[in-house]
Amino acid sequence: MLSYARLLEQVKNIDVERYAKTRNFYDGHVSGLSPFISRGVISPQRVKSIILSGNSIEKSKMFISELAWREYFQRIWWQHGEKILTDFYHTQNPTVHDKLIRNITEGTTSLEAIDGPIRQLLTTGRMHNHARMYVASLACNIGRAHWLHHARWMYYHLLDGDVASNSLSWQWVAGTFSNKKYYFNQENLNRFSGSTQIGTFIDCSYEQLESLDFPEELRDTAEPTLECNLPESTMPQLDYDKPLLVYNAYNLDPEWRAQESANRLLLLEPSHYQKFPVAANVLNFIVSTARTFIPGIQVFTGEFQEIPGLQMFSTVYFKEHPLSNHYQGHADKPDWMFPNIDPRGSFSSYWKLCEKELWRNR
């Protein structure tokens, strides 16, 4: 596990020019920071500041725009709540079922450059962003399954799982959060993955692909079953003369009120994980990351209101987040990169305003 100092050093060492040129290729230059950003160990704002301290805006803007996608999706979640779990702008059409496609979830589609990343996801919790788009397009636009259960399946396995980014990215691909569906064919897959496979069911033109009867390889379905086994809770040792800082899977920031003498508690709420289940390795990553980066943190499995002696604390602190709306106490503001820009409309219109602010504040 990285130390916090090493994590900050890793940010400094990102080659933003190489990232901009190669990020869509499987073997391209990526940061590897996504699990730590999504878990709140380091905020996009902090990453942006470090990047701009060593690079020009012109060189950095592609990297920052990718961070802005995450912030854009997050803030839409804040504005619209659970609407992001339904077809957002348009109804997905056509769909033939709302189940999982077995060969996708098992990594046996016969597409080598798809099956490899799926198996990597199942074993490591990591998947290249372009591979995620390919899988989503395969499931929704070629396999004609509704996006929701496949998005939940992918979220379940991702170390960097983020409800907003994952759900709305799947919707963008499926055409429910965008005006056009995302398609790919074997030529495109080979180009960005390095594969040389030919003769597959997607080895055709885009015109043929969009009218393709969904192939035999994607017809076997399965009901979604995503189990999440939270650790049994032990009674935390709490000092009621000190404030309580409540962390969760989206806020593992080691710099948050770091100088204060306080109780630090990682809260794992069963109600949350029943709604948004995660795999064992994801849960282990969350807990081990908290213990690595936040000295003295304790883990409590239970609902917020079940925290022992909750009413005895003079102050309870937490960070604002759509999943902490029911917490009670003092809510600290999130560290947005562009807090004054309203994320209404398309990402392109949002990013134009963000880019103007970058130049204005240089």
Side-chain angles (χ1 to χ4, degrees), residues 295-328:
I297 196 167
Q298 301 181 72
V299 179
F300 177 69
T301 300
E303 302 301 321
F304 178 84
Q305 293 293 344
E306 296 172 346
I307 295 174
L310 182 63
Q311 303 305 321
M312 297 173 63
F313 293 102
S314 59
T315 312
V316 177
Y317 294 104
F318 56 91
K319 278 194 177 183
E320 283 187 355
H321 190 275
L323 297 179
S324 64
N325 286 335
H326 61 290
Y327 292 8
Q328 295 175 358

Side-chain angles (χ1 to χ4, degrees), residues 82-102 104-105 135-154 166-177 181 214 218-224 226:
E82 293 196 358
K83 183 180 177 182
I84 69 166
L85 303 177
T86 63
D87 291 4
F88 200 90
Y89 289 125
H90 314 289
T91 300
Q92 184 181 338
N93 184 49
T95 59
V96 296
H97 62 80
D98 61 358
K99 299 177 182 179
L100 294 174
I101 297 173
R102 191 183 301 276
I104 288 180
T105 60
V135 171
S137 180
L138 191 66
C140 300
N141 302 336
I142 301 175
R144 300 181 188 175
H146 191 263
W147 64 269
L148 180 60
H149 284 311
H150 282 90
R152 283 170 53 82
W153 162 79
M154 184 172 283
N166 187 63
S167 299
L168 293 175
S169 292
W170 273 79
Q171 293 212 54
W172 185 88
V173 169
T176 60
F177 190 72
K181 296 180 179 183
F214 71 104
L218 303 181
R219 294 195 178 195
D220 189 14
T221 62
E223 295 289 344
L226 304 174

Side-chain angles (χ1 to χ4, degrees), residues 17-286:
E17 290 184 279
R18 186 176 165 214
Y19 173 88
K21 293 176 181 178
T22 68
R23 65 185 179 84
N24 284 327
F25 293 87
Y26 278 18
D27 61 353
H29 181 63
V30 294
S31 71
L33 294 171
S34 188
F36 300 99
I37 295 174
S38 69
R39 300 301 167 194
V41 177
I42 183 169
S43 71
Q45 169 60 26
R46 183 72 186 276
V47 174
K48 176 172 75 77
S49 297
I50 294 173
I51 291 296
L52 289 176
S53 69
N55 300 276
S56 68
I57 292 174
E58 188 62 36
K59 291 180 179 179
S60 305
K61 64 182 182 180
M62 176 59 72
F63 185 86
I64 295 172
S65 73
E66 291 303 305
L67 291 176
W69 268 106
R70 182 187 298 271
E71 185 160 306
Y72 171 72
F73 286 148
Q74 280 278 329
R75 294 179 66 188
I76 288 174
W77 188 15
W78 282 58
Q79 288 182 351
H80 297 281
E82 293 196 358
K83 183 180 177 182
I84 69 166
L85 303 177
T86 63
D87 291 4
F88 200 90
Y89 289 125
H90 314 289
T91 300
Q92 184 181 338
N93 184 49
T95 59
V96 296
H97 62 80
D98 61 358
K99 299 177 182 179
L100 294 174
I101 297 173
R102 191 183 301 276
N103 285 358
I104 288 180
T105 60
E106 295 179 355
T108 55
T109 67
S110 78
L111 302 174
E112 296 169 358
I114 298 294
D115 293 338
I118 290 173
R119 290 193 292 269
Q120 180 187 46
L121 171 69
L122 299 180
T123 55
T124 70
R126 293 178 180 270
M127 178 182 274
H128 191 282
N129 190 62
H130 206 164
R132 300 182 198 196
M133 294 172 62
Y134 287 147
V135 171
S137 180
L138 191 66
C140 300
N141 302 336
I142 301 175
R144 300 181 188 175
H146 191 263
W147 64 269
L148 180 60
H149 284 311
H150 282 90
R152 283 170 53 82
W153 162 79
M154 184 172 283
Y155 174 86
Y156 178 81
H157 290 287
L158 285 170
L159 294 186
D160 67 354
D162 175 278
V163 171
S165 293
N166 187 63
S167 299
L168 293 175
S169 292
W170 273 79
Q171 293 212 54
W172 185 88
V173 169
T176 60
F177 190 72
S178 59
N179 292 322
K180 186 178 180 181
K181 296 180 179 183
Y182 173 76
Y183 281 95
F184 72 100
N185 61 11
Q186 188 67 52
E187 180 183 10
N188 180 279
L189 181 60
N190 287 350
R191 177 189 175 199
F192 289 103
S193 71
S195 170
T196 57
Q197 190 176 15
I198 59 174
T200 68
F201 62 87
I202 60 167
D203 196 2
C204 57
S205 70
Y206 283 100
E207 290 76 17
Q208 292 172 313
L209 195 65
E210 293 185 29
S211 60
L212 188 71
D213 186 21
F214 71 104
E216 192 65 35
E217 291 88 341
L218 303 181
R219 294 195 178 195
D220 189 14
T221 62
E223 295 289 344
T225 54
L226 304 174
E227 296 183 359
C228 181
N229 298 311
L230 297 178
E232 290 188 14
S233 188
T234 56
M235 185 64 68
Q237 301 299 309
L238 301 172
D239 184 345
Y240 297 102
D241 293 327
K242 298 178 180 179
L244 173 66
L245 274 63
V246 180
Y247 299 76
N248 58 38
Y250 289 89
N251 172 29
L252 301 177
D253 181 1
E255 295 194 325
W256 178 49
R257 297 183 175 270
Q259 304 308 314
E260 297 185 22
S261 178
N263 300 278
R264 301 177 190 277
L265 198 67
L266 171 60
L267 182 64
L268 303 176
E269 292 191 290
S271 59
H272 165 70
Y273 289 97
Q274 182 177 12
K275 190 170 187 178
F276 301 108
V278 296
N281 65 325
V282 176
L283 194 59
N284 290 338
F285 177 79
I286 292 167

